Amino acid sequence: MTNNKLFLQTLKGQQTERVPFWFMRQAGRYLPEYMALRKEAGSFLDLCYNPDFATEVTLQPIKRFNMDAAILFSDILVIPHALGQDLAFKVGEGPVLTPVDNLEKLKALSMEKLHQHLNPVYQTVSNLSEKLPNNVALIGFAGAPWTVATYMVNGRGSKDQAETRLMAYQDRETFQKLIDLLVTSTSEYLIKQVEMGVDALQVFDSWSGTLPADEFNQWCVEPMRKIVENIRAVYPDVPIIGFPKGAGHKIQTYIKKTKVNAVSIDTSTSTSWVRDKILPLCPVQGNLDPLLLVSGGAALEKAVYHILDHLKAGSHIFNLGHGIIPQTPPENVKMVSDIILNYKR
Ligand code: CP3
């Protein structure tokens, strides 16, 4: 089963004949077939909680581009939603939540209905594990506690996560309780995804880059270390990928302390530094600039070869440094896929 999946072989530290690839946000608004299904479902959240639609949306990019892995279609904010926080996705605005920014509001959240609420997501995983071609791996995911907390506390996305950083400084005890709740619920959620059939897990810490080093250790590294420990206690062999976006040189500590199996590297990180400092530690995913995928042409081609050439001596999974942008022409994704599929190490 496992041995014909290049993605999983690479995560085990092997060097496969061809570099496997997938893209963050590979299912989404740049695909007309996605827009059609979203319209039919009603809204983005309706799509996430409808197993038939979510299954279809997950498969859409695989059918077009032959990626080596599919990522479960859902969102990192289904966890606060399942804990009882209000959530809506407004077109053009992104997620909107009623802020949880004090102890009283935190106490109103509960894990009681966690699995019941997330049951449609588990059903999607189960559908996908049957429907995916057997050389394509299925990635389950969740947001890391810090990143999810920034949306929970602030109530929407923000440039510098200032409200949440302030809360962490001013009311450390309450903020620690929020992080602890997220560590427990996220661990349970990810364990259930493995039980239902995902082959690997990715944890997105999209906003880890705004924290000073000590805060990074407390709110990003330590919670992730616990999540990895909790998952391994039940499933010792499932590969876990961390994405501490913007962490820079702190990625090294992150890998050593959290004991993740692999890391995803963001756009700003130099590929020669990754080759010298990170590839000796663990397999790496990354790190094409999603804007190059929008602009296309010779610059895109050059950047793809640059990444492939720099990382070919190690266990490398080709990916983006962040998610696909809605303006991306699907032909550019096709061009990159073709280069990777034909690239010889
Ligand atoms: O193909 C895939 O990658 C799988 C699905 C996936 C989505 N979100 C679907 C989505 C994944 C893995 C995520 C992760 C996610 N969600 C992150 C971490 C990765 C990152 O982007 O940094 C974060 C921070 C979120 C929270 C979130 N979801 C925001 C801030 C937004 C609004 C901004 C935006 O891009 O629209 C979303 C919406 C969202 N999540 C969409 C999709 C396809 C767009 C929804 C739509 O159809 O309008």
Side-chain angles (χ1 to χ4, degrees), residues 54-182:
T55 302
E56 184 53 32
V57 166
T58 307
L59 295 171
Q60 284 173 344
I62 309 299
K63 288 178 183 162
R64 266 194 193 240
F65 310 113
N66 293 309
M67 282 100 174
D68 296 285
I71 181 160
L72 164 69
F73 190 82
S74 181
D75 197 79
I76 65 167
L77 299 179
V78 296
I79 285 287
H81 203 204
L83 293 172
Q85 191 171 11
D86 285 345
L87 170 68
F89 280 85
K90 310 215 163 135
V91 174
E93 234 184 289
V96 181
L97 306 90
T98 308
V100 170
D101 49 9
N102 61 36
L103 187 58
E104 197 192 333
K105 292 182 196 161
L106 176 60
K107 280 185 172 161
L109 302 180
S110 148
M111 288 208 13
E112 209 177 314
K113 293 192 178 147
L114 186 84
H115 292 308
Q116 188 187 325
H117 181 100
L118 295 168
N119 200 48
V121 180
Y122 303 144
Q123 188 56 50
T124 306
V125 172
S126 164
N127 290 350
L128 283 165
S129 61
E130 279 168 30
K131 285 200 173 177
L132 275 170
N134 60 19
N135 60 331
V136 179
L138 179 59
I139 306 170
F141 76 93
W146 165 254
T147 289
V148 174
T150 66
Y151 291 96
M152 293 179 78
V153 171
N154 189 41
R156 52 180 65 231
S158 67
K159 205 168 67 252
D160 54 7
Q161 298 78 54
E163 288 82 352
T164 314
R165 285 159 57 205
L166 260 183
M167 180 179 174
Y169 287 131
Q170 291 176 334
D171 191 356
R172 230 164 167 73
E173 232 174 275
T174 305
F175 192 68
Q176 183 71 59
K177 287 198 173 85
L178 171 59
I179 293 291
D180 291 346
L181 174 66
L182 288 169

Side-chain angles (χ1 to χ4, degrees), residues 23-29 34 38 44 71-77 89 94-95 141 147 151 204 206-207 322:
F23 300 117
M24 291 182 211
R25 294 277 180 100
Q26 63 192 14
R29 288 162 294 187
Y34 169 83
R38 193 183 77 176
F44 169 66
I71 181 160
L72 164 69
F73 190 82
S74 181
D75 197 79
I76 65 167
L77 299 179
F89 280 85
F141 76 93
T147 289
Y151 291 96
F204 292 88
S206 304
W207 301 119
H322 200 194

